[in-house]
Each structure stands twice: as C-alpha cells, then as structure tokens.
Amino acid sequence: MLEVTPQELATHLTYKEIDKMFGIKVDGVTQHRSERRYAYFQPNGDIGVSIYGYYIPLRLSNYGFPETQTVGIKVKRVTGFSPKLQIAYDKLLRNASVPLIEAVETIAMCVNDSIEYDTDAVFGSDDFGERVKERIRVVNYTPNGQETVKGICSDAGWLIKTLFDWTLIEPSLRYTSVDTMKAGRTEETRHHDTTLIFDIRTAHWIVVNSKSPLKPYNIVPFERLQDLGSPYGN
C-alpha cells in the first residue's frame, strides 16, 4: 500500500481539460490558463477528490472492497494500545495475509479506540467553531476506558496512515489524507480528517474515519458518507 504523492499523480495522469470557468482577456481574446488534471481513473466519476492539484474521480457504485480481496501483512509490531486492542493488533500480525476490510477495520479500531478525544483542546481552540463545540457537548462524550493517549481526528488519522504504511502490502492500493468539509446552517464550516483508500486496478474505494465523538465508526458505511460533507456528500 502506497501513499499518494505528487510524483505518483503525475505518473498516473489520465486526462486533462481546460477549465473554462477561469480565463483572462488578452487583446480582446479570452485565454484559458487553468487546467483540470485527473489521475488514476477516467473523469466519469460521481465525485472528485482534489489533492496536489489533481482530481481523483470516484464512482459511488465502486464503494467498498470485495470480502475476497486480501492484503499482505508486514510484521512491524507496535505497542502502546490497551491490552484488549493490543491482542487484536498482534493477532493481525500473525497472518501472512488477511481480508483487506478486516485489516483496515482492525487498524482503525486499534487507533481510534486507543485515543481519548481531547475535548479540552477543542473547547480551548479558535480552530473549532461554536456550533461544533456545542454538538460535542450535546453528545456528552465520555472515554470508554481503553484509551492510552489523547488526541483529535488529525492525530488519529496520522497514526492510522502510519500503520497502513507499516503493516499492509498490496501494490495496487493507494491511500491519502482527505480533509472533509461540512457546511453548517451558519457560515461556519466543519473540517474532519479522513483517509481515502482506493485500488488503482479495480477502482474500488473506501473512506476510513478518524477519531470523532460524533461519528462512531471506523470504516465509513456507504449510507453515512453524507455525514462527512464535501467531497463525499453535501
């Protein structure tokens, strides 16, 4: 499994088009200077994830991986989880390969359940709007007792992606961080860290959730993509 890089995107360029929304007039003639570049797949997706100046087009019909798809396991043992979660992670490492969905769910669970969501950091920061803070107060978030560290979604996302890189082997899989944006009823916009995983061979994809008191799942269910906002929902 490889992380998406600008070099990777350039190598997998599939289509370029002139963005006619942007242009300037030179001697009375409109000159279009902006290109929209697509990578990995043809630009006929339902949504497009923008990263490093490229768009990755994704089809909603390709959401999810087949239960039969497996992934290789690299033995890079990490400690620091609670005892129950450490057992789950160590069990994963005892296999040469496992179903991809099982591996992703296990890693995301071990990270998210090991992190106590740092509400103090949220309530004390201007980076989080009052609407978000109020929603967190309303759900009355309480730790589950398994946590060993504190953090927020971006901290969990970094750890999840690190373990994907250290643990999972599959040349056709790519992953990248996606900062989703959900507009509220006011001008406030809520940002949330997620991880996109996609297969450049089959075009199947999933979104992995980072620690959140408002979104209690690891692999995002198809019907909950709308919860995330742009680029996956409204």
Side-chain angles (χ1 to χ4, degrees):
M1 183 181 287
L2 299 176
E3 185 172 11
V4 174
T5 63
Q7 294 77 16
E8 257 271 315
L9 289 159
T11 300
H12 290 86
L13 178 69
T14 55
Y15 187 79
K16 289 194 300 185
E17 66 181 12
I18 300 297
D19 192 340
K20 294 182 180 180
M21 294 288 292
F22 299 95
I24 59 172
K25 280 195 173 182
V26 179
D27 296 330
V29 178
T30 300
Q31 303 287 332
H32 295 288
R33 300 293 180 86
S34 180
E35 284 186 337
R36 180 167 289 205
R37 297 175 293 179
Y38 295 86
Y40 297 111
F41 314 117
Q42 291 300 313
N44 57 358
D46 302 300
I47 59 178
V49 174
S50 177
I51 181 170
Y52 299 125
Y54 290 80
Y55 286 88
I56 303 173
L58 303 169
R59 295 188 68 84
L60 291 172
S61 58
N62 287 335
Y63 191 78
F65 289 106
E67 293 182 3
T68 55
Q69 183 166 352
T70 60
V71 63
I73 301 295
K74 292 184 283 189
V75 182
K76 283 213 172 183
R77 190 169 182 274
V78 174
T79 60
F81 301 125
S82 68
K84 180 180 177 181
L85 297 171
Q86 191 70 53
I87 289 171
Y89 183 72
D90 291 345
K91 181 181 178 182
L92 180 70
L93 297 185
R94 289 199 292 269
N95 300 276
S97 66
V98 296
L100 173 60
I101 291 297
E102 177 186 333
V104 170
E105 175 67 26
T106 298
I107 289 173
M109 174 189 69
C110 288
V111 171
N112 285 333
D113 287 1
S114 290
I115 293 178
E116 177 183 341
Y117 194 78
D118 195 346
T119 54
D120 291 338
V122 172
F123 296 148
S125 172
D126 293 334
D127 293 336
F128 295 84
E130 288 305 316
R131 183 171 170 78
V132 176
K133 293 176 182 178
E134 182 59 27
R135 289 189 70 207
I136 293 174
R137 291 189 187 98
V138 168
V139 299
N140 193 28
Y141 167 75
T142 54
N144 61 27
Q146 297 188 83
E147 296 87 355
T148 54
V149 293
K150 272 191 173 185
I152 58 173
C153 65
S154 55
D155 302 309
W158 180 82
L159 288 169
I160 288 169
K161 284 179 273 290
T162 298
L163 290 185
F164 286 162
D165 184 50
W166 285 0
T167 309
L168 306 183
I169 308 170
E170 174 46 65
S172 67
L173 290 178
R174 300 293 185 273
Y175 68 90
T176 187
S177 179
V178 177
D179 186 23
T180 64
M181 293 174 286
K182 182 76 172 178
R185 296 175 186 170
T186 64
E187 293 300 315
E188 178 186 318
T189 300
R190 303 191 299 276
H191 296 261
H192 180 60
D193 179 275
T194 66
T195 301
L196 168 67
I197 301 177
F198 59 96
D199 191 317
I200 65 174
R201 180 175 54 85
T202 67
H204 285 280
W205 60 284
I206 58 172
V207 180
V208 182
N209 189 38
S210 297
K211 182 72 178 188
S212 168
L214 306 174
K215 301 175 178 66
Y217 37 75
N218 297 312
I219 296 175
V220 181
F222 177 79
E223 62 273 12
R224 303 301 295 270
L225 286 173
Q226 291 290 327
D227 293 356
L228 301 174
S230 178
Y232 304 116
N234 298 320

